[in-house]
């Protein structure tokens, strides 16, 4: 069974940057879709960005131009660079993956129900 491990969260001031990482192991697929989600207390989980095995990214409107998703050359790690951070970006950031498919086009790519495997999350706290 695939395993996902997030890292790199922390505390940062508004306007700052942080990079979170998602390491994926125990998988044997060349086609996949990896997504980043976040959840803060009292709020529902929301999709942030996705990337397909072919490198195609997709972003939620509220992070366009501020966040960037990428993957390492070995494709075992997916990064999310968070820049121009706002206090409302605080939350636990989770990565998730679904194998044997690329990310769908449109808003369905950011639907958590699409993904099969999830990590435990990493906390990002943005102070004003």
């Amino acid at each position: 069974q695939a395993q996902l491990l997030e890292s790199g969260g922390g505390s940062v001031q508004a306007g700052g940057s942080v990079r979170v990482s998602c390491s994926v192991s125990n998988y044997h697929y060349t086609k996949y879709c990896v997504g980043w989600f976040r959840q803060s207390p009292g709020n529902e989980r929301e999709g942030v960005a996705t990337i397909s095995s072919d490198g195609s990214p997709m972003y939620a409107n509220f992070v366009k131009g501020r966040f960037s998703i990428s993957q390492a050359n070995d494709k075992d790690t997916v990064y999310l660079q968070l820049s121009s951070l706002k206090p409302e970006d605080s939350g636990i950031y989770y990565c998730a993956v679904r194998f044997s498919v690329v990310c769908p086009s449109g808003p369905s790519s950011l639907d958590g129900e699409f993904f099969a495997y999830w990590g435990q999350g990493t906390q990002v706290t943005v102070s004003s």
Side-chain angles (χ1 to χ4, degrees), residues 7-10 18-22 36 78-82 93 122 124:
S7 61
V18 67
R19 188 177 77 167
V20 291
S21 303
C22 174
W36 280 99
V78 172
Y79 305 103
L80 184 68
Q81 178 72 40
L82 295 70
Y93 282 71
T122 184
V124 174

Side-chain angles (χ1 to χ4, degrees), residues 1 11 22 24 26 36-37 40 92 118:
Q1 181 171 333
S11 297
C22 174
V24 185
N26 290 344
W36 280 99
F37 296 79
S40 57
I92 300 176
W118 291 80

Side-chain angles (χ1 to χ4, degrees), residues 7-13 18-20 85 90-91 122-127:
S7 61
S11 297
V12 62
Q13 289 191 330
V18 67
R19 188 177 77 167
V20 291
L85 283 162
S90 297
T122 184
Q123 177 73 45
V124 174
T125 302
V126 184
S127 58

Side-chain angles (χ1 to χ4, degrees), residues 57-108:
M58 178 172 290
Y59 300 95
N61 288 334
F62 56 82
V63 301
K64 281 183 179 178
R66 300 192 299 123
F67 292 7
S68 177
I69 190 170
S70 62
Q71 54 190 347
N73 289 336
D74 61 8
K75 298 190 176 182
D76 287 342
T77 304
V78 172
Y79 305 103
L80 184 68
Q81 178 72 40
L82 295 70
S83 303
S84 301
L85 283 162
K86 308 173 183 179
E88 53 264 40
D89 293 318
S90 297
I92 300 176
Y93 282 71
Y94 301 90
C95 65
V97 66
R98 179 169 173 171
F99 297 110
S100 301
V101 294
V102 295
C103 301
S105 59
S108 60

